[in-house]
Amino acid sequence: MDYKETLLLPTTTFAMRGNLINNEPKRYAAWDEKKVYHKMKAKRAGAEHFTLHDGPPYANGHIHIGHALNKILKDIIIKNNYFNGKSVRFTPGWDCHGLPIEQQVEKKLGGKQKKEQLETAQIRKLCREHAAKFVDIQRDEFKQLGIIADWEKPYVTMDYKFEANIFRTLCSVAKKGLLIERSKPVFWSWAERTALAEAEVEYEDKEDYSIYVAFELSDEAKEKLGLAKNEKAAPVIWTTTPWTLPANTGISFNPEEEYVLTTDGYIVAKKLFNTLVEDGVLKGTVAKTFQATAFENLNAVNPLNGRPSRMVLGEHVLVENGTGCVHTAPGHGEDDYRIGLKYDLEVVMPVDETGCYDATVVRDALIPNAEDFVGRHIFKSNEDIVEMLGASVLHVSKFMHSYPHCWRSHTPLIYRATKQWFISVDEKPAGEDKTLRNIALDEIEKTLFVPKTGKNRLTSMVANRPDWCISRQRDWGVPIAFFRVKATGEVLLDEKVLNFTAMIFEMQGSDAWYSMDIAQLLYPGSGYKPEELEKVTDILDVWFDSGSTWNSVLKSRNYDAGDYPADLYVEGSDQHRGWFQSSLFLSSAVEHKAPYKGVLTHGFTVDEKGEKMSKSKGNVIAPEKVLKEYGSEILRLWVASSDYQGDLKISQGILKQTSENYRKLRNTFRIMLANINDLKELTPYTEMGDLDKWILHVAQNTLDEVHSQFAEYNFVNGMSTLNNFIVNELSGMYIDMTKDNLYCNAKDSQRRRASQSAMAIITKTLLLIMAPIITYTADEIVENAPAIIKGDAEDIFDMSYEKIETVAVAFDAEYMVKAREGFGAEVDKLKKEKIIKNTLELIIYTESKTTLEMDRVDAEDWFVVSGIFEDKPEEEIIGSFKVDEDTFSIAKASKFKCPRCWKYQAQEEDCLCERCQSVVNA
């Protein structure tokens, strides 16, 4: 007789293969139609809040794998909080202003010259259209990753109301007394013709001159130092930028150091003298020694143009290299500028916005034959300047060094003094007793950082950063929409005037600043005449746009985006110098607190060798390609299984392995669902068998640990813990151990229902732990799950995480695991020697109290054998193993194989065992 029909074989409608490529888009479309995000909000009305504030990507091009990593990680965190019962908010956003978008429009137009033929309003219109196009493209691409958010009402920085709130944030900073306008050297991109903030600067190798130049002391200085007028005495400066020498107005000395005059007439720091002799810069010996203070406010002579160069004292001067005498051009350097302010040095700026010398070099006679240099690029002038210096150059060479470059055009930057708008970080906001910098530093101390190293990184950057240059000389951005009085240069910061401008922006967008004249833009009751005023034409640094999103999104009533301050900001580690910092400074300036309670940073995506992805290397993995080949679940599982605290490796090989891990996980859920398909109610813990209590105990400890790790954003360790449990205890042991019970016992037998109940409890908890990561699969599971798992839930979003209750184990599980491992090793030998094919052919004899005190059937199932006995065996011993002092002897079963359950417990050949007989008869 074929007894297969009498077995309770597992059955489920949950498919073995996910067919993710075809099925995911349909389910995601259904989520969209059902408005799942709004359902999630309604489901948790009144619950504890969790707000993740989205850092806006640029609306400029298709998403790359870094975008996918970032948004998936955010989505996992949001859903983890949701399935743990919290009311979550996730309003996605886009950064729509700034250089990257303007550059793309320039390319489409055919270059800068074509662009310059257009009105600003027309350029801005094209930029707005370009950004709008990619907002729509990226929104669809993010949805394809299974990310659930308020896609119907995202924040877009070029929306009219948003632009108005960016401007209002600027006005609030001004009201706090932190906004200043001044000429100051800033990083300047001559290729883009705009100032750059530190966050927009990258460092690349560049070859430069290394020159040592002698500046002869003036006669008056020699006299004051006790030197003869005809005696040669010249401080030696070292520079890598000969082109800045026309703008030199000072030489800085370290106030704590001694300086020497050599027998050949040169002055350098005493500590550097020997090195300079060894390098062939100097040839003489020490003739005299001076304290640095002796040189203060005396003059040397610039050998290029004969202009005076005042000697000053500055703590920025180091004596680790160079000469200890630092060439100082306040228009061309941050330290130079600061020491220039202290000593009232002239700020000379002979370089125009394109990086070329302007007419200043002629007017102020800064270079011999100055007419030849007007309009010439500074980098093409170095050779001529070195030649003109003649004998005052003591040594010249070239070398490679790390040099600041524009992050977009990748051209070398210059420091250039221009009139710019700054947020002063060392001023106190009105009404506060601490500076903006100190408020920000104090707020960092209160913030949770994941990883913890982020705290030191942000602290260091905030502690050492200069004032924030927030103005740009471009077309596409929110204008610094202030009026200036022509006669006096005074900027109008009248609250009613500013509010009126903001109101216009709210209704017509910031384009109105360019399309409307001053009479239309000016508050009617201002008391000023339009013809007396002019518009400020600078635009805001795009980091100001994104840095003010806490105000425009979380504090405004324009979005249902959650609470301020947000619980978490999540971005790449480069945002310590970018969005985390700009947001911190603006929130600290206006509200005197950080805009976030926690900051999580992730690394960058690299190939399997750890190399940066590039098209030229052919190692780029595009999200679109992954979706077509594997499906978004594999990408999501890769994110959760990777250590995001460093760089994340991704390749075809890694994706294949992740796909295999997904298959195992899916099949584990499938076999569990199939095994519990006819379960209607749970068996109480007290009525369960030893094996069921054991697996529930292990599951409870493991899943509690995973739950805690996920709550701490430690997904990689959580996934590792989870995978070990699934592979070892759950699939490798329990599912294997309970096959006989589930398939062969009577449908409603106590033992069978107990094991089904244990599986159901684990399945439900495991499902909700994994739901934030593989949400598509979790939803598909709910669709195919019996009521014992899903209750009356329509989908996964109707469910919440429930922890497994603590269950005591009646036997020494650690001992029994060792026994199973010992038995497994012996079984492997017997199978290799072809003595057995299946462990059910075996019986075990032992005096182990731990084993014998277990329920005998549970003990048999633990080893998946046909019997466990205490008496000495009559059969031939074919293997043995020990656990502690206990011996386990293995023999072949002497009874017959039951044709139904395959256990060797039948009394006669081709007859059912006693258990199977009773089940079949019933």
Side-chain angles (χ1 to χ4, degrees), residues 89-349:
R89 292 294 184 274
F90 187 42
T91 297
W94 277 274
D95 220 337
C96 299
H97 296 123
L99 190 57
I101 289 162
E102 195 168 337
Q103 279 186 323
Q104 290 300 315
V105 168
E106 265 179 24
K107 281 182 189 176
K108 286 180 190 173
L109 290 170
K112 283 182 188 171
Q113 287 183 333
K114 292 279 180 70
K115 182 189 142 196
E116 285 168 0
Q117 293 170 12
L118 298 178
E119 294 287 330
T120 299
Q122 183 62 24
I123 295 165
R124 288 174 64 87
K125 180 175 179 286
L126 293 171
C127 289
R128 191 176 288 278
E129 287 169 358
H130 177 88
K133 172 187 170 184
F134 280 103
V135 166
D136 289 340
I137 287 172
Q138 289 189 7
R139 175 173 21 215
D140 288 342
E141 290 172 337
F142 284 134
K143 283 183 182 182
Q144 288 166 17
L145 299 174
I147 291 156
I148 293 173
D150 195 354
W151 296 118
E152 293 172 21
K153 199 174 181 188
Y155 75 83
V156 178
T157 60
M158 64 180 182
D159 284 351
Y160 293 173
K161 287 183 178 180
F162 205 103
E163 289 185 329
N165 280 327
I166 292 171
F167 179 66
R168 287 185 179 113
T169 307
L170 174 68
C171 296
S172 296
V173 172
K175 286 175 201 168
K176 293 286 183 177
L178 299 173
L179 191 63
I180 52 175
E181 186 187 21
R182 64 170 184 240
S183 280
K184 180 177 183 290
V186 291
F187 279 121
W188 184 269
S189 173
W190 48 267
E192 302 299 337
R193 303 187 190 185
T194 185
L196 296 183
E198 282 198 344
E200 297 168 308
V201 178
E202 292 180 346
Y203 285 82
E204 299 175 19
D205 285 344
K206 180 177 183 289
E207 185 180 56
D208 269 322
Y209 276 94
S210 167
I211 66 169
Y212 293 84
V213 185
F215 280 52
E216 186 73 21
L217 292 178
S218 67
D219 290 348
E220 186 183 358
K222 288 178 183 177
E223 187 179 338
K224 288 192 175 178
L225 290 167
L227 304 173
K229 282 186 182 180
N230 61 351
E231 187 176 351
K232 186 177 179 184
V236 179
I237 64 96
W238 171 68
T239 184
T240 62
T241 55
W243 62 267
T244 62
L245 287 171
N248 172 280
T249 55
I251 302 172
S252 298
F253 290 65
N254 185 308
E256 306 298 323
E257 295 296 325
E258 289 184 318
Y259 285 76
V260 296
L261 171 64
T262 66
T263 52
D264 50 354
Y266 299 112
I267 296 168
V268 295
K270 186 176 182 180
K271 284 181 182 175
L272 290 164
F273 170 72
N274 289 332
T275 303
L276 290 165
V277 171
E278 288 169 15
D279 292 346
V281 178
L282 302 178
K283 294 183 176 63
T285 57
V286 173
K288 287 185 180 179
T289 302
F290 298 90
Q291 290 295 326
T293 50
F295 296 95
E296 188 175 19
N297 284 319
L298 303 180
N299 284 332
V301 179
N302 186 332
L304 184 66
N305 52 31
R307 289 164 61 91
S309 183
R310 184 134 52 98
M311 292 176 282
V312 298
L313 304 179
E315 291 178 1
H316 69 286
V317 178
L318 304 177
V319 286
E320 293 165 1
N321 53 35
T323 65
C325 307
V326 175
H327 153 51
T328 300
H332 286 306
E334 180 72 28
D335 289 330
D336 304 45
Y337 175 75
R338 288 181 181 179
I339 200 71
L341 280 179
K342 180 179 176 183
Y343 283 94
D344 196 25
L345 297 180
E346 183 185 359
V347 178
V348 176
M349 178 40 56

Side-chain angles (χ1 to χ4, degrees), residues 818-833:
K818 283 185 195 172
R820 186 175 159 95
E821 288 168 356
F823 175 66
E826 288 299 302
V827 165
D828 286 344
K829 291 178 195 172
L830 295 172
K831 285 182 177 178
K832 277 180 187 173
E833 293 165 12

Side-chain angles (χ1 to χ4, degrees), residues 360-380:
T360 308
V361 293
V362 177
R363 187 192 69 206
D364 295 345
L366 300 180
I367 309 176
N369 303 317
E371 292 84 357
D372 296 342
F373 286 84
V374 176
R376 189 196 292 188
H377 199 280
I378 51 173
F379 291 156
K380 293 179 180 176

Side-chain angles (χ1 to χ4, degrees), residues 450-728:
V450 181
K452 290 180 180 176
T453 51
K455 179 180 179 181
N456 291 338
R457 192 166 182 211
L458 187 55
T459 298
S460 172
M461 289 179 171
V462 167
N464 296 305
R465 70 157 298 147
D467 290 344
W468 178 8
C469 175
I470 61 165
S471 49
R472 296 290 179 274
Q473 291 68 48
R474 300 293 299 191
D475 294 318
W476 178 230
V478 174
I480 298 177
F482 297 148
F483 294 111
R484 192 190 302 279
V485 180
K486 290 178 186 176
T488 63
E490 175 202 356
V491 171
L492 296 189
L493 293 176
D494 180 277
E495 193 165 347
K496 288 178 181 176
V497 172
L498 300 178
N499 286 344
F500 190 73
T501 304
M503 185 183 71
I504 291 172
F505 284 8
E506 190 155 323
M507 293 185 294
Q508 300 184 48
S510 66
D511 292 344
W513 192 248
Y514 303 92
S515 61
M516 294 170 67
D517 58 35
I518 293 175
Q520 294 170 296
L521 291 164
L522 183 64
Y523 173 62
S526 69
Y528 287 88
K529 295 175 182 177
E531 61 271 18
E532 296 173 344
L533 305 174
E534 62 186 5
K535 297 175 186 176
V536 171
T537 57
D538 296 331
I539 63 165
L540 278 167
D541 171 14
V542 76
W543 291 107
F544 191 101
D545 288 20
S546 56
S548 64
T549 55
W550 56 268
N551 193 19
S552 304
V553 179
L554 300 180
K555 281 186 71 69
S556 77
R557 295 181 182 178
N558 297 333
Y559 306 88
D560 182 13
D563 301 328
Y564 168 84
D567 292 284
L568 196 65
Y569 276 31
V570 177
E571 297 303 326
S573 53
D574 59 332
Q575 294 306 322
H576 289 112
R577 67 174 187 165
W579 192 53
F580 297 142
Q581 197 179 143
S582 62
S583 300
L584 174 63
F585 272 114
L586 290 181
S587 185
S588 296
V590 178
E591 300 293 336
H592 313 144
K593 63 182 177 182
Y596 38 67
K597 297 174 187 174
V599 166
L600 183 149
T601 49
H602 57 77
F604 301 101
T605 51
V606 294
D607 69 12
E608 58 195 338
K609 295 176 186 173
E611 293 181 0
K612 189 177 178 181
M613 292 187 182
S614 71
K615 287 179 182 176
S616 60
K617 288 181 186 174
N619 61 352
V620 173
I621 303 276
E624 182 186 18
K625 187 181 177 187
V626 179
L627 297 188
K628 284 179 180 174
E629 207 168 328
Y630 296 99
S632 68
E633 291 289 78
I634 307 308
L635 206 50
R636 296 177 67 88
L637 196 57
W638 165 73
V639 171
S641 305
S642 301
D643 183 2
Y644 63 75
Q645 294 192 10
D647 287 343
L648 291 82
K649 292 181 179 179
I650 187 167
S651 65
Q652 278 296 330
I654 290 167
L655 288 167
K656 278 180 185 172
Q657 183 56 55
T658 306
S659 187
E660 179 59 20
N661 293 343
Y662 172 79
R663 187 188 64 78
K664 289 175 183 174
L665 188 59
R666 184 180 180 93
N667 284 341
T668 300
F669 273 114
R670 185 171 183 271
I671 192 64
M672 304 242 285
L673 289 174
N675 281 335
I676 61 175
N677 68 310
D678 60 2
L679 182 66
K680 298 293 185 255
E681 59 181 323
L682 296 177
T683 301
Y685 293 112
T686 52
E687 295 173 23
M688 289 184 180
D690 286 341
L691 298 191
D692 307 321
K693 288 178 180 175
W694 166 75
I695 193 62
L696 283 171
H697 177 76
V698 175
Q700 183 246 321
N701 288 336
T702 304
L703 299 184
D704 276 3
E705 183 184 349
V706 173
H707 188 250
S708 296
Q709 287 169 324
F710 282 9
E712 293 166 0
Y713 314 118
N714 187 356
F715 298 108
V716 64
N717 284 354
M719 285 301 300
S720 177
T721 304
L722 198 60
N723 284 329
N724 286 336
F725 165 68
I726 289 169
V727 170
N728 297 318

Side-chain angles (χ1 to χ4, degrees), residues 42-72:
K43 201 82 184 167
R44 300 284 187 264
E48 180 186 350
H49 286 200
F50 179 82
T51 301
L52 195 159
H53 181 45
D54 190 30
Y58 272 117
N60 189 30
H62 293 269
I63 67 167
H64 53 66
I65 202 71
H67 286 126
L69 157 66
N70 177 263
K71 276 290 197 290
I72 288 171

